[in-house]
C-alpha cells in the first residue's frame, strides 16, 4: 500500500503543477479550467484537441514511460498555441511547467488555426510537418520499446563464465519480469534502457561519481504484484546484486544471473567443492554441467586454441617453469578433465580445492568482543566474515525465512547485519558489546522477507552468495526465457591467456534457457512471426496512407 500511496502523491503533485501552468490554455480551448488539474483527463483533452489517439492518455503517469509521454503531450499543447519553433519545444521539454506557465499567463497567446487546407501550405511548412511526423514515429517506437523493457521483459548479457555451461559467455537473454510476480519500478524518473549509470568512467574513476541514469530523489518503495510463485531450487534466476554500494535503488543495482541452490529455510553446504542442500548432494539437471578448476603439469606446451575449439569455454592461465608447463584451468567438467588428463604430454593433474578450515579472509573477535580484526589480507572475502570457510568448504549455513526469529549476538551479527541494516532498513548499532536495533537493546530479530542462496554452476569462477551472502526476495528480477543472440568471444576474459575468436553460435539462438532439460525448445518461429508482423504492418500501413493521399 505504501507504494500506491506514494505513487498517488506524485500524480497529484504533477497534476497540480499541470493545472497551475495550463488552466488558461484549457479555458481558451473551450473547457473548464478545472479540467487542467484532473489526472489523465487533462492529457485526454490535449490529445482530443490536437487530433491524436486519445488512449495515449493512459501512458501519461506510468513510471519511466510517463515523463516521455508528458513531454510529447506538452509539445502538442504548445503547438496548439503556435509555439512550433525548436527553442519552444526544447524549453517545453527541459522546463515544462515553467515554460508552459509563461505561455499560459501571456496576454497575446491565441489558438492556431488548424483548419487551413494542406494544399495552401508552403514547402517549408510541409517539410516541417514531415519532420514532425518522422520525429513522432521515432518517439513512439522508443516509447513502445520502453514499455516492453520496463513492464514485460528485459535483455541481459552474460559477460562472465560463472554459469558455464548452462549459459555461455556471450549469450544474450530475455528475462521474464513476471516469473515471480512483477516488481514495480522504484525510480520512476529514469532514462530508458539504462540500468544504473549513463556511462562508466573506467578503472581510474570512482563508480560512485558516474552520472546516474535515474533521479534518486524521486523514489517509490518496494512492491511486488501478482506473485503466484517464488524462486524454487534449481531455478536460474536474474537478481540485483545485493551489496552494490554505488546504487541505493534496489532495481538499479547491477544485474546478476545464478542458479538458486537453496531457498528460505534450507541449509546450504560445500564439501570439497561439492554442493549439499539439507545434507543431500545437489540435483544436477539435464542442462547443467558441474565444473571444477584444475592445475595441469605438462612436459610440453599444450595446444590451447585447439582445445578451445573442441570444448568451447576453457579459461586457462599458462606458466612456464623448469619442470615444464603449468596450466591452471577453470570450468572443466568431469568428462573434459578426464580427456585433458589423457593427453600424452600431461604429467600430472590435480583438482584445485582450498584446504578445509582455511578462510579466504580470516577475522578474529577481539578480546573485549566488540569488533573483528582481519588476520589475512587477500582480494576476496567469504560470507560471513567471521567463519573459517572458503568457497570449497563452506557452511553449513541456514537461509533466513520470513518470520524466523534469530538470535543476535557478537558471533551471529556478521551473518545478519546486512539483513537488519541494509535489506530491512533498521538502525543497527554495536556499542560496548551490546547490540541495538532502532535504539533498543536486543538479542533477537524477526526476519521480514525470504532470502535465497544463489551460486554459479561454474563453482570455481563464480562471484556468488558464498562471497556476498543472502539474496533478498526484493532483489529478484525474474527468470531467463530464451537466448536471442549468442556470440563467442564478444567479452574478453582477463583470467585467460587465450581469447576465443568471435563467431555467432547459431545453434543457441532463440533456444529456451531455464527448462532444466538438455534438449531445449526452439523459439525461431516466434522471431519469424514478429518479423512478418512488423514488415507486414509497415507494408499495409504504407498502402493505406497512399490510398488516403490519392483520395
Amino acid at each position: 500500500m505504501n507504494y500506491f500511496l506514494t505513487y498517488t502523491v506524485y500524480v497529484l503533485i504533477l497534476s497540480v503543477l499541470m493545472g497551475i501552468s495550463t488552466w488558461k490554455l484549457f479555458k481558451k480551448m473551450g473547457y473548464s479550467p478545472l479540467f487542467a488539474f484532473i489526472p489523465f483527463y487533462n492529457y485526454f483533452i490535449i490529445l482530443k484537441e490536437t487530433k491524436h489517439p486519445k488512449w495515449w492518455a493512459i501512458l501519461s503517469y506510468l513510471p519511466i514511460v510517463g515523463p516521455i509521454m508528458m513531454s510529447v503531450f506538452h509539445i502538442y499543447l504548445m503547438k496548439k498555441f503556435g509555439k512550433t519553433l525548436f527553442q519552444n519545444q526544447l524549453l517545453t521539454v527541459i522546463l515544462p511547467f515553467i515554460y508552459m506557465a509563461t505561455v499560459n499567463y501571456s496576454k497575446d497567446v491565441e489558438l492556431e488555426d488548424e483548419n487551413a487546407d494542406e494544399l495552401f501550405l508552403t514547402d517549408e511548412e510541409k517539410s516541417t510537418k514531415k519532420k514532425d511526423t518522422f520525429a513522432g514515429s521515432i518517439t513512439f517506437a522508443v516509447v513502445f520499446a520502453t514499455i516492453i523493457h520496463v513492464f514485460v521483459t528485459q535483455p541481459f548479457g552474460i559477460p562472465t563464465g560463472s554459469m558455464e555451461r548452462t549459459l555461455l559467455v556471450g549469450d544474450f537473454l530475455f528475462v521474464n519480469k513476471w516469473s515471480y510476480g512483477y516488481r514495480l519500478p522504484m525510480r520512476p524518473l529514469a532514462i530508458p534502457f539504462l540500468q544504473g549509470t549513463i556511462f562508466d568512467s573506467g578503472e581510474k574513476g570512482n563508480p560512485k561519481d558516474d552520472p546516474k541514469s535515474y533521479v534518486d530523489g524521486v523514489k517509490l518503495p518496494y512492491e511486488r504484484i501478482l506473485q503466484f510463485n517464488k524462486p524454487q531450487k534449481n531455478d536460474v534466476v536474474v537478481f540485483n546484486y545485493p551489496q552494490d554500494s554505488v546504487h541505493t535503488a534496489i532495481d538499479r543495482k547491477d544485474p546478476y544471473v545464478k542458479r538458486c541452490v537453496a531457498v528460505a529455510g534450507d541449509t546450504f553446504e560445500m564439501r570439497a567443492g561439492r554442493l549439499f542442500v539439507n545434507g543431500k548432494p545437489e540435483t544436477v539437471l539435464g542442462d547443467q554441467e558441474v565444473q571444477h578448476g584444475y592445475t595441469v603439469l605438462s612436459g610440453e606446451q599444450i595446444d590451447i586454441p585447439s582445445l578451445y575449439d573442441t570444448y568451447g569455454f576453457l579459461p586457462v592461465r599458462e606458466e612456464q617453469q623448469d619442470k615444464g608447463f603449468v596450466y591452471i584451468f577453470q570450468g572443466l567438467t568431469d568428462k573434459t578433465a578426464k580427456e585433458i588428463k589423457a593427453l600424452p604430454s600431461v604429467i600430472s593433474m590435480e583438482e584445485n580445492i582450498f584446504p578445509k578450515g582455511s578462510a579466504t579472509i580470516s577475522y578474529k573477535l577481539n578480546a573485549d568482543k566488540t569488533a573483528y580484526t582481519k588476520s589475512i589480507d587477500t582480494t576476496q572475502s567469504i560470507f560471513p566474515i567471521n567463519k573459517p570457510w572458503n568457497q570449497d568448504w563452506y557452511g553449513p549455513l541456514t537461509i533466513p525465512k520470513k518470520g524466523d526469529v534469530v538470535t543476535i549476538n557478537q558471533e551471529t551479527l556478521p551473518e545478519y547485519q546486512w539483513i537488519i541494516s541494509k535489506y530491512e532498513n533498521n538502525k543497527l548499532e554495536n556499542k560496548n558489546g551490546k547490540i541495538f536495533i532502532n535504539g533498543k537493546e536486543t538479542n533477537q530479530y524477526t526476519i521480514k522477507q525470504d532470502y535465497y542462496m544463489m551460486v554459479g554452476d561454474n563453482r570455481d569462477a563464480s562471484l556468488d552468495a558464498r562471497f556476498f551472502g543472502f539474496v533478498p526476495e526484493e532483489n529478484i528480477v525474474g527468470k531467463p526465457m530464451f537466448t536471442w543472440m549468442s556470440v563467442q568471444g564478444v567479452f574478453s576474459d582477463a583470467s585467460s591467456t587465450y581469447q576465443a575468436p568471435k563467431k555467432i553460435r547459431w545453434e543457441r539462438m532463440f533456444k529456451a534457457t531455464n527448462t532444466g532439460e538438455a534438449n531445449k525448445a526452439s523459439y525461431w518461429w516466434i522471431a519469424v512471426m514478429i518479423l512478418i508482423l512488423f514488415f507486414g504492418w509497415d507494408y499495409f500501413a504504407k498502402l493505406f496512407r497512399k490510398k488516403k493521399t490519392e483520395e
Side-chain angles (χ1 to χ4, degrees):
M1 284 301 294
N2 287 338
Y3 185 96
F4 297 104
L5 183 60
T6 308
Y7 174 81
T8 302
V9 170
Y10 281 137
V11 169
L12 292 175
I13 291 171
L14 289 171
S15 299
V16 169
L17 290 173
M18 181 66 181
I20 292 172
S21 58
T22 62
W23 66 271
K24 279 191 173 183
L25 303 181
F26 274 71
K27 187 176 181 180
K28 284 182 180 290
M29 290 190 293
Y31 294 93
S32 167
L34 293 176
F35 289 172
F37 293 86
I38 301 176
F40 296 101
Y41 189 59
N42 45 16
Y43 290 114
F44 176 89
I45 290 173
I46 292 172
L47 291 166
K48 179 183 176 183
E49 288 299 310
T50 57
K51 297 181 174 59
H52 290 93
K54 294 182 282 295
W55 66 266
W56 288 353
I58 64 176
L59 305 175
S60 53
Y61 293 97
L62 291 179
I64 302 174
V65 178
I68 301 173
M69 299 308 298
M70 282 183 180
S71 296
V72 172
F73 301 157
H74 296 161
I75 289 172
Y76 289 163
L77 180 62
M78 291 298 95
K79 284 184 177 180
K80 182 80 174 173
F81 287 88
K83 306 302 178 183
T84 58
L85 297 177
F86 173 75
Q87 54 263 40
N88 301 140
Q89 297 178 19
L90 184 62
L91 286 169
T92 304
V93 171
I94 62 175
L95 299 169
F97 302 115
I98 296 174
Y99 179 68
M100 288 193 298
T102 62
V103 175
N104 183 65
Y105 294 103
S106 174
K107 293 181 179 180
D108 59 348
V109 65
E110 293 295 338
L111 280 167
E112 283 282 285
D113 182 12
E114 296 183 347
N115 296 319
D117 197 313
E118 286 198 17
L119 292 172
F120 298 101
L121 293 177
T122 65
D123 290 340
E124 186 178 350
E125 288 171 331
K126 287 179 180 178
S127 176
T128 301
K129 192 165 186 178
K130 284 182 180 179
K131 287 178 182 177
D132 287 347
T133 303
F134 177 75
S137 299
I138 295 297
T139 300
F140 281 96
V142 171
V143 168
F144 178 75
T146 303
I147 290 171
I148 298 298
H149 184 272
V150 173
F151 298 103
V152 183
T153 181
Q154 183 174 338
F156 179 79
I158 306 294
T160 68
S162 68
M163 282 299 293
E164 293 278 350
R165 305 181 181 257
T166 311
L167 300 174
L168 307 187
V169 176
D171 278 355
F172 293 87
L173 320 170
F174 277 125
V175 178
N176 182 1
K177 291 190 168 186
W178 292 82
S179 301
Y180 307 113
Y182 177 68
R183 185 183 64 184
L184 295 167
M186 285 172 264
R187 293 299 182 272
L189 193 57
I191 300 174
F193 313 119
L194 297 182
Q195 175 61 26
T197 55
I198 298 174
F199 60 83
D200 187 352
S201 59
E203 295 180 3
K204 294 182 179 180
N206 185 344
K208 291 186 177 181
D209 296 331
D210 292 344
K212 303 293 188 292
S213 63
Y214 56 94
V215 177
D216 202 27
V218 182
K219 59 184 71 175
L220 294 166
Y222 166 72
E223 184 67 49
R224 197 178 292 269
I225 60 173
L226 301 176
Q227 186 178 23
F228 300 117
N229 53 57
K230 295 190 175 188
Q232 303 296 311
K233 273 183 286 217
N234 293 316
D235 281 358
V236 176
V237 178
V238 175
F239 58 93
N240 297 109
Y241 179 54
Q243 293 193 14
D244 185 341
S245 59
V246 176
H247 303 289
T248 56
I250 295 168
D251 58 341
R252 294 292 163 173
K253 295 178 184 290
D254 287 342
Y256 273 40
V257 57
K258 307 288 179 190
R259 190 177 295 277
C260 177
V261 297
V263 299
D266 286 340
T267 300
F268 170 82
E269 190 174 3
M270 296 290 294
R271 304 175 192 168
R274 273 58 181 172
L275 192 152
F276 291 78
V277 179
N278 300 327
K280 298 178 182 178
E282 68 173 315
T283 301
V284 179
L285 303 182
D287 65 345
Q288 178 187 3
E289 291 188 80
V290 178
Q291 297 134 87
H292 303 283
Y294 290 85
T295 298
V296 173
L297 175 62
S298 175
E300 58 186 55
Q301 199 167 15
I302 296 175
D303 185 359
I304 298 298
S306 178
L307 288 179
Y308 205 114
D309 290 341
T310 303
Y311 300 114
F313 177 77
L314 203 72
V316 60
R317 285 187 287 120
E318 178 183 329
E319 298 174 7
Q320 187 173 0
Q321 299 181 358
D322 294 338
K323 53 188 175 182
F325 292 85
V326 175
Y327 295 89
I328 301 173
F329 287 95
Q330 285 182 345
L332 297 188
T333 64
D334 291 344
K335 179 177 179 292
T336 307
K338 185 177 179 181
E339 292 176 2
I340 290 177
K341 187 176 183 179
L343 294 173
S345 62
V346 172
I347 299 170
S348 64
M349 185 170 186
E350 237 179 83
E351 185 178 344
N352 299 329
I353 296 179
F354 277 96
K356 187 175 183 179
S358 65
T360 312
I361 287 184
S362 178
Y363 287 81
K364 291 184 179 178
L365 191 63
N366 290 345
D368 58 3
K369 296 185 178 182
T370 60
Y372 288 91
T373 302
K374 185 188 296 183
S375 59
I376 300 175
D377 186 13
T378 64
T379 57
Q380 292 179 322
S381 63
I382 214 72
F383 172 85
I385 61 173
N386 63 327
K387 298 292 184 182
W389 300 344
N390 55 58
Q391 62 190 50
D392 295 316
W393 293 95
Y394 188 97
L397 179 70
T398 300
I399 318 304
K401 186 177 182 180
K402 183 178 180 180
D404 283 352
V405 179
V406 296
T407 300
I408 303 297
N409 52 42
Q410 298 300 327
E411 178 64 26
T412 63
L413 187 59
E415 186 174 333
Y416 299 114
Q417 62 183 1
W418 274 83
I419 290 178
I420 297 169
S421 62
K422 303 295 183 182
Y423 306 152
E424 300 188 358
N425 304 310
N426 297 283
K427 184 181 178 183
L428 176 65
E429 297 173 285
N430 187 4
K431 299 185 295 188
N432 301 321
K434 296 179 180 180
I435 297 170
F436 297 83
I437 298 177
N438 298 325
K440 295 181 179 180
E441 184 182 352
T442 185
N443 61 0
Q444 64 180 29
Y445 179 77
T446 303
I447 304 295
K448 301 296 190 298
Q449 62 177 314
D450 286 337
Y451 291 82
Y452 301 89
M453 202 72 180
M454 306 291 187
V455 177
D457 287 352
N458 186 8
R459 305 284 154 71
D460 293 323
S462 176
L463 175 62
D464 52 40
R466 292 169 294 177
F467 300 96
F468 56 69
F470 309 119
V471 175
E473 183 177 304
E474 64 186 10
N475 286 58
I476 303 296
V477 177
K479 195 188 282 191
M481 294 189 295
F482 63 88
T483 304
W484 62 273
M485 175 64 79
S486 184
V487 184
Q488 177 182 286
V490 70
F491 295 110
S492 61
D493 184 1
S495 67
S496 180
T497 54
Y498 174 72
Q499 299 299 323
K502 289 183 174 63
K503 68 175 184 180
I504 296 176
R505 305 184 189 103
W506 296 101
E507 72 282 359
R508 291 187 65 80
M509 289 175 60
F510 294 98
K511 290 287 185 73
T513 54
N514 206 7
T515 63
E517 301 164 347
N519 299 315
K520 299 184 183 297
S522 174
Y523 289 98
W524 269 107
W525 62 274
I526 293 180
V528 172
M529 188 172 69
I530 290 171
L531 288 173
I532 290 172
L533 286 172
F534 178 80
F535 288 108
W537 174 269
D538 188 55
Y539 175 75
F540 286 110
K542 284 179 180 177
L543 281 181
F544 177 76
R545 285 196 297 267
K546 185 179 178 182
K547 183 179 178 182
K548 192 174 180 181
T549 303
E550 289 173 351
E551 289 176 351

